[in-house]
Amino acid sequence: MDLVPALEEPLRQPLKSVLGPATAKVMAEHLGLLTVGDLLHHYPRRYEERGQLTHLADLPMDEHVTVVAQVADARLHTFASAKAPRGKGQRLEVTITDGSGRLQLVFFGAGVHKPHKELLPGTRAMFAGKVSVFNRRLQLAHPAYELLRGDPEESVETWAGALIPIYPATAKLESWKIGKAIQTVLPTAQEAVDPLPDTLREGRGLVPLPEALLKIHRPHTKADIEDARSRLKWDEAFVLQVALARRRHADAQLPAVPRKPAPDGLLTAFDARLPFTLTDGQQRVSREIFDDLATDHPMHRLLQGEVGSGKTMVALRAMLAVVDAGGQAAMLAPTEVLAQQHHRSVVEMMGELAEGGMLGGAEQATKVVLLTGSMGAAARRHALLDLTTGEAGIVIGTHALIEDKVQFHDLGLVVVDEQHRFGVEQRDALRGKGKQPPHLLVMTATPIPRTVAMTVFGDLETSVLDQLPAGRSPIASHVVPAADKPHFLSRAWERVREEVENGHQAYVVCPRIGDEEDEPKKSAKKKSPEDEAEKRPPLAVLDVAGHLSTGPLQGLRVEVLHGRMHPDDKDAVMRRFAAGETHVLVATTVIEVGVNVPNATAMVIMDADRFGVSQLHQLRGRVGRGSAPGLCLLVTEMPEASPARQRLGAVASTLDGFELSRIDLEQRREGDVLGQAQSGARTSLKVLAVIEDEEIIAEAREEATAVVAQDPELTHLPALRTALDALLDEEREQYLEKG
């Protein structure tokens, strides 16, 4: 079916523009709106009632805002300046009010004439501009404005109660101009093709799409807005879930070699040498994985687990099961440090079982090889040969595994650690190295709320490890307000010393390295002292390490670790720290995932407000990995009432990563969390909120699975097919490939 021409019409075209060329250009460049359909799907962010005005008292600083308010007074001042030395300079100060607060508007020079005539006391208008502070008072300098005049036909009540849509806008295009453009194209909403199957729409009491578009842009009542939003949320949830369901369906049609572990093979031998019993969670998740591996289509499973819940153990047992069944397993890590760390810990856990073909190797043993970009030529040649011949059952590496030269004897399983750091092409390239598509296990240590997993990783089955292994110690977390209470910071360094005196080790984490390459560019603009404090460069590893070695931690062995060090140097530093030779490791977030030093009990995170919630949780998970309790100190200079401090308070108050991921999602724009799923203005979720709309997403997934099971090609649902084609532009196709 062809796409609907009216909605596909470009806003900007050489001969006949739907809007003025300048407006169309701004919409394309700043809002990503290219067609009439894009514009109709640019929904209001909120609605103002003319009678109920915005709270001027709650305006955010430095943001572009739109407010509806009434002029309280307007005064024209003259003054002398360099440009107008004879006192001919003019400044118009207008005070507006909404009952909750007052706000100063200021206009200068030639720009005062029009507002001076129009903004008379008692006038109501919409004002848009950037909020700043002058003489300790909030103000908008040179705001754009639109007078709100009642239609002579309208009664005062109707006019005052009318809902004014406020659109996501930019400094170059105010909300009301977007509103006017939408009113121009609104009649074409009648031609919008409805993607929801009639039975679904009627069964759930949802209004048709054309009606929803009219109601969201031109509501008469709040009930209209509710109707429209409910309907449009379903569109977003359902079309995305259909895309994911089709992906799952297609994957289920691919052939794969079933991999069942031999009864008394490598896995049995490995389990027998474990010094502990697996948690119930690890056993449950392992069963789910083994069931998938035994089928003749590829496993696609997401394993998400709390920091330290033993995901690596579960992944290793899956790899051993595949080796038992005659295949090979590859584990892909995002960084060299992590690949080396995984290789070290896998070899340690397996002991003589990792020494296949060597003297002293066990009977069922295999070889475990490491492959990274920085390996020497001879070692690399050796590793490649072991892979081609099948001598190596397990390979652990970075992107180097994906290169053309790497050939496997029989690749049966790919384990991807920290999924979100791998691109599409990379995963496909690795998949293509199997004779048939290998099974795939994706691991992430960032706990993801269920609905986000359904929305972002919806083509993968999900397993969750939320139980910590026995013997894991609790971690106490505290916020250290360095600016308000400097003595707290001194006490933090004393605590690090105490941990070292008790035979333990500590991490100090900084947001920046501090070498020339990452020095922030000097800005030409003069900043106020407040700005300087707020916007000083983040603390750097090299500076902090120097300060600690000669100051608070003098006499302790302090080393640094960061991403720009030579791989051999990084490895040497990690080995010394793991061996207990270094007391304190000052590092960037390279230690965020996978680094396992059970003797490290304390962590101090400098400028903790510069990290995200889930990142802080990841970092904190590096301590308390042994029998001694862990301590995590979050150092910040942010004032107590700031959102950043509240975020740190949330991290300090709970060790539950799933709870923190919800908080993270509620506090940030969802697009950040949904990552590539939400890249590009045209493709982001506009009305669907993945935390609030949990039920809709879960129901849409069920409906979508049923629809695709009946009609995988959507032959009988051409309108849904059209909506899907619109959703699956290149970016989305990539996201569904799991970018």
Side-chain angles (χ1 to χ4, degrees):
M1 170 170 170
D2 289 330
L3 288 171
V4 182
L7 297 195
E8 281 304 300
E9 205 169 309
L11 294 171
R12 180 183 175 197
Q13 50 193 17
L15 300 173
K16 163 180 160 289
S17 228
V18 175
L19 305 173
T23 307
K25 183 170 187 260
V26 173
M27 284 190 174
E29 288 174 8
H30 295 271
L31 297 169
L33 307 176
L34 306 174
T35 66
V36 170
D38 292 343
L39 185 52
L40 285 175
H41 289 292
H42 187 71
Y43 309 130
R45 177 177 284 153
R46 58 189 169 84
Y47 299 84
E48 291 292 6
E49 286 180 73
R50 286 181 172 129
Q52 276 181 302
L53 304 175
T54 20
H55 281 282
L56 292 181
D58 304 336
L59 288 181
M61 277 297 298
D62 271 351
E63 278 194 29
H64 202 79
V65 299
T66 301
V67 296
V68 175
Q70 185 166 339
V71 176
D73 67 44
R75 295 174 190 189
L76 191 62
H77 302 273
T78 53
F79 60 92
S81 71
K83 286 185 181 168
R86 294 198 191 132
K88 293 268 179 73
Q90 290 192 309
R91 182 175 77 248
L92 176 65
E93 287 177 7
V94 178
T95 307
I96 58 173
T97 178
D98 65 350
S100 77
R102 295 165 87 79
L103 179 65
Q104 188 92 22
L105 313 179
V106 58
F107 301 88
F108 291 102
V112 304
H113 305 307
K114 185 167 176 276
H116 189 217
K117 281 206 301 259
E118 294 181 337
L119 297 179
L120 305 171
T123 307
R124 285 187 170 185
M126 272 196 286
F127 301 93
K130 199 170 183 187
V131 183
S132 56
V133 170
F134 182 70
N135 280 345
R136 304 201 163 206
R137 286 165 70 189
L138 290 182
Q139 73 164 24
L140 293 182
H142 279 286
Y145 63 89
E146 174 86 341
L147 301 179
L148 295 174
R149 300 187 174 93
D151 186 316
E153 301 297 304
E154 275 182 322
S155 70
V156 173
E157 287 77 22
T158 321
W159 186 84
L163 293 159
I164 305 168
I166 305 291
Y167 289 93
T170 73
K172 290 194 158 51
L173 198 62
E174 294 86 13
S175 167
W176 56 84
K177 288 187 181 163
I178 295 171
K180 281 179 178 169
I182 286 171
Q183 294 303 330
T184 309
V185 300
L186 203 50
T188 55
Q190 294 303 339
E191 297 179 48
V193 177
D194 202 321
L196 295 190
D198 292 345
T199 47
L200 189 160
R201 190 171 57 71
E202 287 156 14
R204 296 192 175 271
L206 299 168
V207 300
L209 181 57
E211 187 182 329
L213 290 170
L214 286 171
K215 282 184 167 175
I216 199 142
H217 291 298
R218 198 185 275 164
H220 294 297
T221 62
K222 288 182 177 168
D224 283 353
I225 300 170
E226 258 333 285
D227 285 353
R229 288 179 67 81
S230 304
R231 164 58 216 249
L232 295 167
K233 280 180 179 190
W234 256 95
D235 274 19
E236 287 183 3
F238 181 70
V239 176
L240 181 53
Q241 291 301 334
V242 165
L244 293 163
R246 291 186 71 212
R247 174 80 193 184
R248 287 195 301 277
H249 184 271
D251 283 341
Q253 312 309 309
L254 290 171
V257 180
R259 309 280 178 176
K260 292 181 184 166
D264 289 313
L266 191 53
L267 181 61
T268 312
F270 175 75
D271 284 348
R273 48 170 287 134
L274 282 180
F276 51 81
T277 52
L278 298 174
T279 65
D280 294 346
Q282 286 174 317
Q283 289 179 8
R284 185 193 72 247
V285 170
S286 288
R287 277 195 301 276
E288 291 170 354
I289 291 171
F290 291 158
D291 288 349
D292 281 1
L293 289 174
T295 60
D296 55 8
H297 57 82
M299 164 173 82
H300 287 98
R301 190 166 280 280
L302 170 70
L303 170 57
Q304 55 162 326
E306 268 297 3
V307 178
S309 57
K311 289 181 299 298
T312 312
M313 173 60 70
V314 170
L316 176 54
R317 292 184 74 241
M319 293 198 286
L320 295 174
V322 169
V323 175
D324 255 355
Q328 290 170 294
M331 184 185 233
L332 217 59
T335 64
E336 292 214 355
V337 168
L338 202 48
Q340 288 160 346
Q341 178 82 29
H342 277 319
H343 181 255
R344 220 173 8 250
S345 58
V346 164
V347 169
E348 277 166 22
M349 283 194 269
M350 286 176 65
E352 75 267 17
L353 296 175
E355 296 169 359
M358 297 185 228
L359 278 174
E363 189 189 335
Q364 305 95 327
T366 186
K367 217 179 218 182
V368 179
V369 300
L370 175 69
L371 193 64
T372 61
S374 63
M375 282 169 76
R380 189 179 172 77
R381 238 188 345 267
H382 210 82
L384 290 172
L385 189 64
D386 284 344
L387 286 182
T388 314
T389 59
E391 184 97 357
I394 294 176
V395 59
I396 296 169
T398 53
H399 299 76
L401 278 178
I402 298 164
E403 290 169 12
D404 293 343
K405 290 195 197 96
V406 182
Q407 296 299 321
F408 289 86
H409 177 64
D410 179 14
L411 181 60
L413 170 68
V414 175
V415 178
V416 179
D417 192 18
E418 288 307 305
Q419 154 66 17
H420 57 277
R421 304 186 188 204
F422 277 97
V424 185
E425 302 82 7
Q426 295 157 331
R427 225 176 69 170
D428 277 354
L430 200 56
R431 241 187 211 165
K433 291 189 179 293
K435 294 189 176 69
Q436 285 192 322
H439 298 282
L440 176 71
L441 179 65
V442 166
M443 300 199 296
T444 176
T446 308
I448 306 167
R450 193 173 73 99
T451 41
V452 180
M454 272 189 221
T455 311
V456 182
F457 297 103
D459 61 334
L460 301 173
E461 298 302 326
T462 304
S463 294
V464 176
L465 271 179
D466 48 12
Q467 194 183 1
L468 293 187
R472 264 316 182 84
S473 306
I475 305 170
S477 306
H478 304 284
V479 178
V480 177
D484 310 348
K485 299 177 178 167
H487 58 286
F488 276 34
L489 184 57
S490 311
R491 177 71 189 119
W493 301 127
E494 283 169 25
R495 283 292 289 113
V496 169
R497 246 184 208 288
E498 287 163 17
E499 290 297 311
V500 173
E501 281 160 13
N502 290 333
H504 298 301
Q505 293 157 278
Y507 297 101
V508 177
V509 181
C510 305
R512 205 163 56 90
I513 297 172
D515 53 9
E516 266 60 60
E517 276 186 62
D518 75 348
E519 286 302 322
K521 300 280 180 284
K522 293 278 183 287
S523 159
K525 269 168 62 178
K526 272 292 282 166
K527 291 197 178 83
S528 69
E530 289 86 354
D531 273 356
E532 288 298 340
E534 186 86 354
K535 294 183 179 154
R536 67 161 171 74
L539 291 169
V541 166
L542 302 177
D543 303 340
V544 169
H547 164 70
L548 293 177
S549 305
T550 55
L553 302 184
Q554 195 169 7
L556 302 186
R557 287 192 295 281
V558 177
E559 286 209 67
V560 300
L561 181 71
H562 59 75
R564 278 209 284 273
M565 289 165 65
H566 187 277
D568 292 349
D569 296 342
K570 274 192 266 194
D571 200 37
V573 168
M574 267 323 295
R575 279 179 191 280
R576 284 196 292 275
F577 190 65
E581 295 165 24
T582 306
H583 296 137
V584 179
L585 187 62
V586 184
T588 56
T589 53
V590 291
I591 61 153
E592 182 184 347
V593 281
V595 172
N596 185 24
V597 180
N599 192 44
T601 52
M603 175 176 284
V604 181
I605 303 179
M606 307 304 290
D607 278 344
D609 47 273
R610 313 263 181 153
F611 299 97
V613 169
S614 54
Q615 202 172 24
L616 291 169
H617 183 58
Q618 282 299 320
L619 288 165
R620 170 171 63 184
R622 300 304 110 209
V623 295
R625 298 178 82 84
S627 52
L631 172 69
C632 178
L633 301 174
L634 307 167
V635 180
T636 178
E637 291 186 1
M638 285 291 149
E640 197 164 355
S642 63
R645 270 286 279 281
Q646 288 161 10
R647 216 171 55 232
L648 296 181
V651 174
S653 69
T654 178
L655 291 172
D656 181 340
F658 288 92
E659 177 54 30
L660 285 174
S661 68
R662 287 184 78 96
I663 292 169
D664 198 16
L665 197 52
E666 281 159 9
Q667 289 192 343
R668 290 161 54 185
R669 291 203 326 277
E670 293 193 336
D672 299 347
V673 182
L674 298 183
Q676 181 141 3
Q678 297 309 307
S679 64
R682 293 201 306 149
T683 54
S684 59
L685 296 183
K686 299 184 180 80
V687 283
L688 191 72
V690 287
I691 287 285
E692 285 165 37
D693 300 322
E694 211 155 344
E695 275 175 42
I696 294 179
I697 292 169
E699 288 169 18
R701 183 180 166 110
E702 273 177 43
E703 294 269 14
T705 307
V707 163
V708 171
Q710 271 184 332
D711 181 6
E713 292 305 311
L714 307 179
T715 318
H716 304 296
L717 296 167
L720 176 56
R721 183 75 236 204
T722 299
L724 206 57
D725 291 341
L727 175 84
L728 297 182
D729 55 18
E730 260 173 75
E731 267 179 338
R732 283 293 187 143
E733 277 289 11
Q734 290 200 346
Y735 142 59
L736 288 175
E737 295 285 329
K738 273 284 84 53

Short mmCIF file of all heavy atoms in Angstrom, two decimals, residues 10-30:
data_model
loop_
_atom_site.label_atom_id
_atom_site.label_comp_id
_atom_site.label_asym_id
_atom_site.label_seq_id
_atom_site.Cartn_x
_atom_site.Cartn_y
_atom_site.Cartn_z
N PRO A 10 6.23 16.86 1.83
CA PRO A 10 7.27 17.59 2.57
C PRO A 10 6.79 18.98 2.99
O PRO A 10 6.01 19.62 2.27
CB PRO A 10 8.41 17.70 1.56
CG PRO A 10 8.08 16.72 0.48
CD PRO A 10 6.59 16.59 0.46
N LEU A 11 7.26 19.42 4.15
CA LEU A 11 6.92 20.77 4.61
C LEU A 11 7.67 21.80 3.76
O LEU A 11 7.28 22.94 3.64
CB LEU A 11 7.33 20.94 6.07
CG LEU A 11 6.56 20.06 7.07
CD1 LEU A 11 7.20 20.17 8.46
CD2 LEU A 11 5.09 20.47 7.15
N ARG A 12 8.78 21.34 3.18
CA ARG A 12 9.64 22.28 2.46
C ARG A 12 9.95 21.68 1.10
O ARG A 12 10.58 20.63 1.01
CB ARG A 12 10.92 22.42 3.28
CG ARG A 12 11.96 23.33 2.73
CD ARG A 12 13.14 23.24 3.68
NE ARG A 12 14.27 23.98 3.20
CZ ARG A 12 15.49 23.80 3.65
NH1 ARG A 12 15.73 22.91 4.56
NH2 ARG A 12 16.48 24.52 3.18
N GLN A 13 9.49 22.29 0.05
CA GLN A 13 9.83 21.80 -1.29
C GLN A 13 9.97 23.00 -2.21
O GLN A 13 9.40 24.05 -1.96
CB GLN A 13 8.80 20.80 -1.79
CG GLN A 13 7.35 21.27 -1.66
CD GLN A 13 6.39 20.12 -1.88
OE1 GLN A 13 6.76 18.99 -1.80
NE2 GLN A 13 5.14 20.45 -2.15
N PRO A 14 10.71 22.84 -3.31
CA PRO A 14 11.07 23.99 -4.13
C PRO A 14 9.87 24.79 -4.65
O PRO A 14 9.81 26.00 -4.52
CB PRO A 14 11.85 23.39 -5.29
CG PRO A 14 12.25 22.02 -4.84
CD PRO A 14 11.29 21.59 -3.79
N LEU A 15 8.84 24.10 -5.18
CA LEU A 15 7.79 24.85 -5.87
C LEU A 15 6.66 25.27 -4.94
O LEU A 15 6.19 26.38 -4.96
CB LEU A 15 7.24 24.00 -7.03
CG LEU A 15 8.30 23.64 -8.08
CD1 LEU A 15 7.74 22.67 -9.10
CD2 LEU A 15 8.80 24.92 -8.76
N LYS A 16 6.24 24.31 -4.10
CA LYS A 16 5.05 24.63 -3.30
C LYS A 16 5.33 24.19 -1.87
O LYS A 16 5.45 23.02 -1.57
CB LYS A 16 3.87 23.83 -3.89
CG LYS A 16 2.66 23.70 -3.00
CD LYS A 16 1.60 22.89 -3.73
CE LYS A 16 0.59 22.30 -2.79
NZ LYS A 16 1.10 21.21 -1.98
N SER A 17 5.50 25.17 -1.00
CA SER A 17 5.79 24.82 0.38
C SER A 17 4.51 24.83 1.18
O SER A 17 3.68 25.73 1.04
CB SER A 17 6.76 25.85 0.97
OG SER A 17 7.80 25.18 1.61
N VAL A 18 4.33 23.80 2.03
CA VAL A 18 3.15 23.75 2.90
C VAL A 18 3.24 24.93 3.89
O VAL A 18 2.27 25.60 4.19
CB VAL A 18 3.13 22.41 3.68
CG1 VAL A 18 1.98 22.40 4.68
CG2 VAL A 18 3.02 21.25 2.71
N LEU A 19 4.46 25.20 4.38
CA LEU A 19 4.69 26.33 5.28
C LEU A 19 5.67 27.27 4.58
O LEU A 19 6.25 26.91 3.56
CB LEU A 19 5.34 25.84 6.58
CG LEU A 19 4.60 24.74 7.33
CD1 LEU A 19 5.45 24.26 8.50
CD2 LEU A 19 3.27 25.26 7.87
N GLY A 20 5.89 28.44 5.17
CA GLY A 20 6.90 29.34 4.62
C GLY A 20 8.25 28.64 4.63
O GLY A 20 8.54 27.86 5.54
N PRO A 21 9.12 28.91 3.64
CA PRO A 21 10.40 28.20 3.56
C PRO A 21 11.25 28.38 4.81
O PRO A 21 11.91 27.45 5.25
CB PRO A 21 11.08 28.82 2.34
CG PRO A 21 10.20 29.93 1.86
CD PRO A 21 8.87 29.82 2.53
N ALA A 22 11.22 29.56 5.42
CA ALA A 22 12.07 29.79 6.61
C ALA A 22 11.59 28.91 7.76
O ALA A 22 12.39 28.27 8.45
CB ALA A 22 12.01 31.26 7.00
N THR A 23 10.27 28.87 7.96
CA THR A 23 9.70 28.06 9.05
C THR A 23 10.01 26.59 8.80
O THR A 23 10.43 25.86 9.71
CB THR A 23 8.16 28.26 9.12
OG1 THR A 23 7.91 29.65 9.19
CG2 THR A 23 7.56 27.57 10.31
N ALA A 24 9.81 26.14 7.56
CA ALA A 24 10.05 24.73 7.22
C ALA A 24 11.51 24.36 7.47
O ALA A 24 11.82 23.28 7.96
CB ALA A 24 9.67 24.47 5.77
N LYS A 25 12.41 25.31 7.17
CA LYS A 25 13.85 25.05 7.35
C LYS A 25 14.18 24.86 8.84
O LYS A 25 14.87 23.93 9.23
CB LYS A 25 14.64 26.24 6.78
CG LYS A 25 16.14 26.06 6.82
CD LYS A 25 16.82 27.17 6.01
CE LYS A 25 18.30 26.93 5.87
NZ LYS A 25 19.14 27.68 6.77
N VAL A 26 13.64 25.76 9.67
CA VAL A 26 13.90 25.66 11.12
C VAL A 26 13.33 24.35 11.66
O VAL A 26 13.95 23.66 12.45
CB VAL A 26 13.29 26.87 11.88
CG1 VAL A 26 13.40 26.68 13.38
CG2 VAL A 26 13.99 28.16 11.47
N MET A 27 12.12 23.99 11.18
CA MET A 27 11.49 22.74 11.66
C MET A 27 12.34 21.54 11.30
O MET A 27 12.49 20.61 12.09
CB MET A 27 10.09 22.59 11.08
CG MET A 27 9.10 23.48 11.78
SD MET A 27 7.42 23.10 11.30
CE MET A 27 6.53 24.17 12.42
N ALA A 28 12.90 21.55 10.09
CA ALA A 28 13.72 20.41 9.66
C ALA A 28 15.01 20.35 10.47
O ALA A 28 15.39 19.30 10.98
CB ALA A 28 14.03 20.52 8.18
N GLU A 29 15.67 21.52 10.61
CA GLU A 29 17.00 21.52 11.22
C GLU A 29 16.98 21.38 12.73
O GLU A 29 17.84 20.75 13.32
CB GLU A 29 17.76 22.80 10.81
CG GLU A 29 18.18 22.75 9.35
CD GLU A 29 18.80 24.07 8.88
OE1 GLU A 29 19.03 24.95 9.73
OE2 GLU A 29 19.04 24.20 7.66
N HIS A 30 15.98 22.01 13.36
CA HIS A 30 16.00 22.05 14.83
C HIS A 30 15.05 21.05 15.48
O HIS A 30 15.22 20.70 16.64
CB HIS A 30 15.70 23.46 15.34
CG HIS A 30 16.77 24.44 14.96
ND1 HIS A 30 17.87 24.66 15.76
CD2 HIS A 30 16.93 25.21 13.86
CE1 HIS A 30 18.66 25.53 15.16
NE2 HIS A 30 18.12 25.89 14.01
#
